[in-house]
Amino acid sequence: MASAQEPGHDASAAAQANNPLADMKALSFQNYYLGDITGTDDDWGNQVWARYAQPFSIGSSNWLLRASLPVNTYPVGGDHETGIGDVTALAAYLFDTGNPAVSFGIGPQLTAPTATKDEVGSEKWSAGFANVLFNAASKKFQYGYLLTWQHSFAGDDDRADVNLGAFQTFLFYQLGGGTYLRSTPIWAYNFENDAYSVPIGLGVGQVWKKGNTVFNAYVEPQVSVADDGPGQPEWQIFFGFNMQFMGG
């Protein structure tokens, strides 16, 4: 028998399950299978991301720290190279919006050159900012965005500078019983070489709650509607598994 803690009876947990600024610890594992990468002979790539989020306070201010570490597989000279990529961390100051269902944060972002191979990282230190909005006022439809920009300031002088902006939309429509539709493509623009990628996506996810943990599994195919420059996927399959730890 379903308990009162499961998503069919807890619409609030389902609505907050995809909130990147949720005031709780979170751990997620995400994968992008990159198909038909531009500048290659219809070759493929892959990115696996491990992300950890931790709320913290400085005085009376509330913040959220999120750290992300990828394992990248990229086509190189007719073969593929795999290794740990560059770690990225952001710290978002959480504004009091006057509505606990609406989250808004902004803060610094830092990327460190932790790649284990030259081919899977930038070999550059980069810094910039991140701005996040998430609106879960409706238990039926949630939306928001993540805007980031970063520029390199140190590192290997022989490697290309980093000057990258990205805009990710969040669109979630709850179908009931913890099942939802989703669209979370990332639009990216490289200011160094004017390369860009504009994908769109539509997927499905399932949220369930067990004890104080909210689980979230999903898959979202995405296809490029506009792109230019090398290294852009013509299509990709995004899937992942998130855990939010409530009250911990």
Side-chain angles (χ1 to χ4, degrees):
M1 178 180 293
S3 75
Q5 297 299 313
E6 292 182 346
H9 301 276
D10 195 345
S12 178
Q16 289 285 347
N18 291 292
N19 183 356
L21 293 178
D23 187 21
M24 64 188 79
K25 295 178 184 178
L27 178 64
S28 66
F29 300 96
Q30 301 174 339
N31 192 94
Y32 286 89
Y33 177 82
L34 315 173
D36 191 5
I37 298 175
T38 59
T40 70
D41 187 19
D42 298 333
D43 219 337
W44 60 273
N46 199 77
Q47 289 183 315
V48 180
W49 287 90
R51 303 187 193 273
Y52 178 73
Q54 170 76 57
F56 67 98
S57 297
I58 301 177
S60 60
S61 64
N62 296 316
W63 295 74
L64 184 79
L65 173 68
R66 189 182 81 167
S68 304
L69 181 67
V71 175
N72 297 325
T73 299
Y74 294 143
V76 178
D79 203 351
H80 289 83
E81 294 287 346
T82 298
I84 294 173
D86 297 336
V87 65
T88 298
L90 65 87
Y93 169 72
L94 305 180
F95 288 83
D96 183 359
T97 65
N99 184 344
V102 179
S103 305
F104 184 83
I106 189 169
Q109 175 173 286
L110 178 70
T111 297
T114 56
T116 54
K117 296 181 179 180
D118 291 349
E119 296 86 353
V120 297
S122 66
E123 295 296 315
K124 293 284 190 177
W125 287 88
S126 300
F129 72 88
N131 171 220
V132 189
L133 167 72
F134 193 81
N135 190 323
S138 167
K139 291 182 174 59
K140 195 72 173 177
F141 176 64
Q142 300 83 46
Y143 64 89
Y145 67 82
L146 168 62
L147 173 66
T148 63
W149 172 81
Q150 58 182 343
H151 196 294
S152 56
F153 62 89
D156 189 341
D157 291 337
D158 293 331
R159 296 293 297 269
D161 289 336
V162 174
N163 188 358
L164 183 66
F167 182 79
Q168 181 177 19
T169 59
F170 302 132
L171 299 172
F172 305 102
Y173 184 79
Q174 304 296 329
L175 299 175
T179 306
Y180 66 94
L181 300 178
R182 59 180 289 131
S183 181
T184 61
I186 301 174
W187 304 342
Y189 190 88
N190 188 329
F191 293 94
E192 282 296 312
N193 60 10
D194 292 324
Y196 59 85
S197 175
V198 182
I200 58 173
L202 180 62
V204 64
Q206 178 68 45
V207 175
W208 67 100
K209 187 177 177 184
K210 185 176 179 61
N212 288 327
T213 303
V214 177
F215 299 94
N216 184 9
Y218 47 87
V219 60
E220 181 182 329
Q222 300 176 351
V223 61
S224 175
V225 295
D227 57 70
D228 189 46
Q232 314 301 328
E234 293 296 329
W235 58 271
Q236 55 195 4
I237 299 175
F238 172 43
F239 57 92
F241 178 70
N242 301 348
M243 293 173 285
Q244 292 177 327
F245 307 104
M246 306 175 68

